[in-house]
Amino acid sequence: MVAPAIPEVIEQEIESAIESRNEALPTLRELGPPDLVHLIKQSVKSGGRQAQQSGVYHHVTGIDASSSASLAAYINTLTQTAQDKSNKVISGIYCCYNAFSRLDMRVEVKIPGGVESYCIDERGDKRVASDSLWLETFLCGVLRAYSYADDGSGDTIKKIIAVRRFDPITSTDVEHKFLDAAERLFFKGWQLGSDPEIQVPNLVSNHLTTGILNYVHTTGRYASGQNLFEKLRSRDPEISSLLARVLISGDEEVKAVCLLKEAIEELPMDYSLLDCQATFLQSKGNLEWASPLAQRAVIAAPSEFGTWSKLAEIYVGLEQWDLALLTLNSCPMFTYTDKDAPRMPEPARVILPVLSNTALDEIDESVQGYDTEMVHPNLRKLSAAGYKGTFLKAYSLLTDITSKIGWDQLLRIRSQVFVMEEEYRSEKSQPGTGRTTGRMTSQMTGRNSSTTALRVPSPETNGEKANGDSSGSVRDDIEEDHSPTTEQSDTRAANGIIDGGAASRDLAIEKPEHTVASTEVKSGSEDVSQAQIVRASQNPDLINNVIQPDPSHTNYTHFQHKRLCERWLDNLFMVLYEDLRIYTIWRTDMARAKASNEPSSSSPSTSSTIYSKSAEEWEILGELAERLHHFPEAIEAYQSCLRIRFSPKAMRAVVKMWEEDKKTENVLQGMIRLIAWQYRWYSEFSPELLRSIRKLIEEEGAVKVRSIVQATSLPQPVLDLTHRYVELCATFRSNGSDG
């Protein structure tokens, strides 16, 4: 197997990349950035001390970081490459971050000369690299390889330039080494941080447990995961939730249910166990049983987004739309924190080579297409495309509700459960307003946890400040002369989206009115305190009034029975309106294009030819339809994109559709191209693609998969890249890999 090509970022000043990494060490908070490999090269034509030298670097993940010898061996492979014959490597430094001890492990190689290993702390001081530190570094390296791996769509690859991605676990021996390190360091895993949806990392929700579960689900090594969690469970019963998840994934549901019953009897208010059981019942369609479990999980962990979003999902499944909106409104939202990314100085030059024997023409041509494509500004301005973390999940729930009941019905339910701006103005202008609004806010204070003890500071919506400040608790008095600060949505017609260039158009969707902001109500405090959260968790009645309202107060037509809508949720409605507006214009124009083309041709692809768009515009429209849960229309847009040029995002979405339709040959045709594209950008490892290949092998058998791949009329080196994924499945003894 030929290793991926070596990208090179050439520095303006030698070792400026090392200095930038040193400066960034105090700011790292989670797993840390990819490993940095820095080389100093010297021209082979000039000799002596005055020879011209240059500093180059690239990033890498998946290299065995269990010792200084393995990292020095990687640097040694770079000196033997035939890629750059005019220069030779005279020294190299490998930097690998240890997130447990907050140290940057360094291996410095002199050629010719010796190897020195040490570590740098946040103050820049040198320390001795011990065996225990190398064990932590090895585990962090594996977790980073999975964390920074691409899902096949290319989004992760495009974020950081010049990163080589390798598979960190290629054999059962390395697996045993990884799981042994995970067992020894498991109870320190909370120090690594967690996914952005988790507010506080804990024993079962952190980057270590996420990495272990990701590895088990990718390779199908459920028995190994089960053995690990069985041993850890004997030390702490809270780990039962992780063991149950592995058992369910490994098709041992009976054992998982028995385990959950036993564990919940021992830990009745463990929210991870309750969430696991609710998720299992939800997957079986038994939402009536899942609902009380999800409610208990919310009471057990009122400050966690995941428990509230799970309850909202279940209410959506039960078609209890009002409770779904109220629960969504109560979700604690967190400012999204992205992964630790390297911050490097401006390079002098970047070299991104391609190995000729693994090149694929259609992929290489697609790289050139990006530079000449034009995208209309209205498509660029869609805010929902940038949502991440809790805001992405909340928006997905809102669009799911919309896809099931429609926009008009959603607005009606919204006006029934939330106080609307005009309604509030009207109520405020009536005599006796103080008493009425006092009763209204008193009702809200007792019933809506999002406006009392569970309130958190209004976060920045993925970097953009939400309109207004929704922090603070509700009091009985209302501001007299305060108008809400609401940002009006852009209502101009997308004349660039419409081929006719019309300046305006009557849309079939109604623009939502604003709800009254919680900034309309005087707040007693701006920030939530830990004591408030503790009081809320100790007083479940506050939360029960939201997740299980008093039946006598379900008549939302009474003003005093309504709730205040959080500003971030009000903004999501405006963003959803803009998505629906652009989507409606697109589908209307597509229908007109098809209607005008019907007399001349019946080809399904001619409408997209008449309705001309660039490949990137089709890709954005596909993402738009996918966000709105209009999957057939999303596939139509992605296929239109692929007819113009190759796009990994579009191909990945189409492959998922083929997987659902059991079109094995089409899936493999797409997988071959996705794997080749990944390899073109220096990634020989994608967990999502490996999981897809493994599932195909389980369903069809390895022999059939190999035969279909080999029968493809593509260069053999390109086919060998896919064969490697099949060989990995055989190494891990996946079902079907022996026939």
Side-chain angles (χ1 to χ4, degrees):
M1 180 69 185
V2 180
I6 305 171
E8 291 186 340
V9 181
I10 302 176
E11 300 173 303
Q12 294 184 4
E13 297 181 6
I14 295 179
E15 293 191 349
S16 60
I18 299 292
E19 294 174 2
S20 296
R21 187 176 176 96
N22 292 340
E23 293 172 358
L25 288 179
T27 66
L28 302 180
R29 290 294 176 264
E30 297 194 348
L31 285 175
D35 301 350
L36 173 66
V37 180
H38 182 274
L39 305 175
I40 296 180
K41 290 188 173 184
Q42 180 176 294
S43 175
V44 296
K45 295 182 179 180
S46 57
R49 296 184 178 179
Q50 301 300 323
Q52 183 178 0
Q53 296 181 349
S54 61
V56 301
Y57 68 88
H58 67 269
H59 292 94
V60 64
T61 62
I63 299 299
D64 181 3
S66 59
S67 67
S68 60
S70 58
L71 301 185
Y74 176 77
I75 293 180
N76 188 50
T77 61
L78 303 178
T79 65
Q80 301 171 356
T81 179
Q83 183 174 304
D84 184 4
K85 297 181 179 180
S86 60
N87 295 288
K88 63 179 180 180
V89 177
I90 61 172
S91 68
I93 300 178
Y94 193 111
C95 308
C96 186
Y97 188 65
N98 180 341
F100 286 101
S101 300
R102 306 296 175 190
L103 299 171
D104 202 34
M105 310 296 287
R106 304 278 175 92
V107 175
E108 191 169 351
V109 179
K110 301 292 185 180
I111 304 173
V115 176
E116 181 186 5
S117 64
Y118 54 91
C119 52
I120 300 292
D121 62 17
E122 295 178 349
R123 296 186 299 273
D125 299 331
K126 273 190 177 184
R127 294 189 181 182
V128 177
S130 62
D131 292 341
S132 61
L133 291 178
W134 281 116
L135 178 69
E136 295 174 348
T137 307
F138 164 72
L139 186 57
C140 291
V142 176
L143 298 178
R144 265 194 302 272
Y146 274 88
S147 178
Y148 284 93
D150 191 77
D151 62 357
S153 66
D155 289 340
T156 305
I157 286 179
K158 296 172 185 176
K159 286 182 179 179
I160 307 175
I161 193 172
V163 182
R164 301 180 84 195
R165 293 174 170 86
F166 294 94
D167 188 350
I169 304 175
T170 56
S171 67
T172 54
D173 291 338
V174 182
E175 177 197 275
H176 297 325
K177 188 176 178 181
F178 164 61
L179 295 180
D180 178 67
E183 180 183 357
R184 295 169 64 180
L185 297 171
F186 186 86
F187 293 94
K188 296 170 63 178
W190 61 271
Q191 300 176 14
L192 302 178
S194 61
D195 292 338
E197 294 82 5
I198 306 296
Q199 185 181 33
V200 180
N202 55 44
L203 187 62
V204 297
S205 299
N206 55 66
H207 284 310
L208 176 56
T209 57
T210 300
I212 295 172
L213 292 175
N214 197 357
Y215 167 75
V216 171
H217 293 150
T218 298
T219 59
R221 301 282 289 177
Y222 301 112
S224 299
Q226 182 180 344
N227 292 335
L228 172 65
F229 291 131
E230 282 280 11
K231 289 185 286 186
L232 292 171
R233 178 174 173 262
S234 63
R235 299 168 61 183
D236 194 320
E238 190 178 349
I239 300 171
S240 300
S241 61
L242 299 175
L243 177 57
R245 294 179 194 277
V246 173
L247 289 172
I248 293 171
S249 300
D251 202 21
E252 296 188 61
E253 295 178 350
V254 175
K255 291 178 64 176
V257 170
C258 294
L259 171 66
L260 286 171
K261 176 182 179 297
E262 176 186 341
I264 289 178
E265 287 177 350
E266 184 177 359
L267 301 170
M269 293 303 290
D270 184 282
Y271 83 91
S272 297
L273 290 168
L274 295 168
D275 181 74
C276 180
Q277 194 168 20
T279 302
F280 175 71
L281 291 171
Q282 183 186 17
S283 68
K284 297 300 181 182
N286 201 333
L287 300 177
E288 291 80 6
W289 289 10
S291 179
L293 290 167
Q295 292 173 12
R296 283 177 59 191
V298 166
I299 295 172
S303 61
E304 287 296 339
F305 173 85
T307 56
W308 289 96
S309 64
K310 175 59 66 178
L311 180 59
E313 284 180 24
I314 292 172
Y315 281 145
V316 170
L318 292 171
E319 299 184 356
Q320 296 178 355
W321 314 116
D322 55 343
L323 292 181
L325 280 182
L326 289 172
T327 305
L328 183 60
N329 187 58
S330 300
C331 288
M333 307 301 287
F334 316 136
T335 303
Y336 178 76
T337 303
D338 207 347
K339 299 172 185 175
D340 293 322
R343 292 177 292 181
M344 295 297 171
E346 187 71 21
R349 195 156 48 100
V350 178
I351 302 175
L352 303 174
V354 182
L355 291 181
S356 57
N357 59 343
T358 57
L360 195 59
D361 291 341
E362 62 183 87
I363 294 176
D364 291 337
E365 292 172 0
S366 71
V367 176
Q368 305 298 327
Y370 284 99
D371 299 331
T372 58
E373 289 180 351
M374 300 294 292
V375 177
H376 194 276
N378 283 344
L379 290 178
R380 293 282 194 200
K381 289 191 301 182
L382 294 175
S383 303
Y387 281 155
K388 297 178 182 178
T390 55
F391 289 92
L392 176 61
K393 179 64 176 176
Y395 189 75
S396 179
L397 285 169
L398 192 60
T399 54
D400 190 22
I401 296 173
T402 308
S403 68
K404 288 179 168 62
I405 65 175
W407 175 247
D408 293 337
Q409 180 66 8
L410 177 66
L411 292 185
R412 279 194 288 271
I413 296 174
R414 173 176 178 252
S415 63
Q416 289 172 7
V417 299
F418 296 129
V419 179
M420 305 306 294
E421 187 173 329
E422 290 301 321
E423 184 180 21
Y424 167 69
R425 298 295 184 195
S426 175
E427 184 74 15
K428 181 181 177 182
S429 64
Q430 294 178 5
T433 298
R435 289 190 299 273
T436 302
T437 53
R439 288 195 303 272
M440 182 267 292
T441 52
S442 178
Q443 293 276 359
M444 291 181 184
T445 304
R447 290 209 314 270
N448 191 350
S449 60
S450 69
T451 56
T452 53
L454 293 187
R455 179 175 301 284
V456 295
S458 179
E460 293 184 3
T461 308
N462 295 307
E464 298 179 3
K465 290 186 178 180
N467 299 313
D469 185 3
S470 61
S471 61
S473 60
V474 177
R475 290 186 176 180
D476 291 347
D477 51 342
I478 305 293
E479 290 187 5
E480 296 179 358
D481 298 310
H482 179 74
S483 58
T485 56
T486 55
E487 182 179 347
Q488 299 297 328
S489 177
D490 183 10
T491 57
R492 292 174 297 174
N495 54 345
I497 303 293
I498 306 171
D499 282 342
S504 63
R505 170 172 298 180
D506 293 332
L507 299 180
I509 58 173
E510 176 188 354
K511 183 179 179 181
E513 298 177 359
H514 283 287
T515 60
V516 62
S518 55
T519 50
E520 287 285 276
V521 183
K522 284 186 178 179
S523 58
S525 61
E526 293 299 318
D527 296 319
V528 66
S529 66
Q530 189 63 29
Q532 286 178 305
I533 294 178
V534 172
R535 285 197 298 272
S537 62
Q538 293 173 349
N539 185 9
D541 291 339
L542 290 176
I543 307 170
N544 277 329
N545 287 328
V546 177
I547 62 180
Q548 216 169 18
D550 186 347
S552 64
H553 292 161
T554 55
N555 185 3
Y556 298 107
T557 57
H558 292 82
F559 180 74
Q560 63 266 29
H561 291 165
K562 293 189 176 184
R563 316 289 176 84
L564 293 179
C565 181
E566 295 289 344
R567 176 57 67 204
W568 64 264
L569 182 56
D570 194 52
N571 288 341
L572 287 193
F573 275 97
M574 299 301 169
V575 171
L576 176 56
Y577 164 75
E578 190 65 16
D579 268 3
L580 289 170
R581 188 178 72 86
I582 299 298
Y583 175 82
T584 303
I585 293 173
W586 165 42
R587 297 312 301 174
T588 301
D589 286 345
M590 284 291 290
R592 289 180 178 177
K594 289 180 180 179
S596 63
N597 190 60
E598 278 179 358
S600 59
S601 173
S602 60
S603 172
S605 63
T606 51
S607 61
S608 62
T609 303
I610 294 177
Y611 187 68
S612 178
K613 291 291 166 194
S614 68
E616 190 170 358
E617 285 177 324
W618 281 120
E619 188 178 290
I620 294 173
L621 290 172
E623 288 181 287
L624 170 63
E626 194 172 1
R627 280 199 305 274
L628 297 176
H629 298 268
H630 296 302
F631 299 110
E633 291 78 8
I635 295 300
E636 180 184 350
Y638 284 136
Q639 288 176 331
S640 298
C641 170
L642 291 172
R643 279 191 284 269
I644 300 174
R645 64 161 171 81
F646 181 83
S647 162
K649 182 186 293 292
M651 179 59 76
R652 187 70 184 115
V654 173
V655 166
K656 288 180 179 178
M657 178 199 69
W658 287 334
E659 288 175 339
E660 294 175 357
D661 296 341
K662 306 297 181 183
K663 296 181 179 179
T664 304
E665 293 189 10
N666 290 346
V667 170
L668 286 172
Q669 290 290 339
M671 293 295 294
I672 291 171
R673 287 160 175 79
L674 285 172
I675 292 172
W677 188 91
Q678 293 270 320
Y679 200 85
R680 157 66 182 94
W681 294 107
Y682 321 113
S683 174
E684 69 167 30
F685 170 63
S686 170
E688 287 293 328
L689 299 185
L690 178 57
R691 186 181 295 121
S692 296
I693 292 290
R694 180 176 64 80
K695 289 181 178 178
L696 275 180
I697 291 174
E698 289 179 355
E699 296 171 0
E700 306 291 343
V703 173
K704 182 177 180 179
V705 170
R706 286 196 189 97
S707 300
I708 295 175
V709 172
Q710 195 58 42
T712 306
S713 58
L714 291 173
Q716 187 61 42
V718 173
L719 301 182
D720 289 340
L721 302 178
T722 305
H723 284 314
R724 179 185 172 276
Y725 278 77
V726 180
E727 292 169 1
L728 272 176
C729 294
T731 300
F732 291 115
R733 305 182 185 92
S734 301
N735 293 335
S737 59
D738 54 350

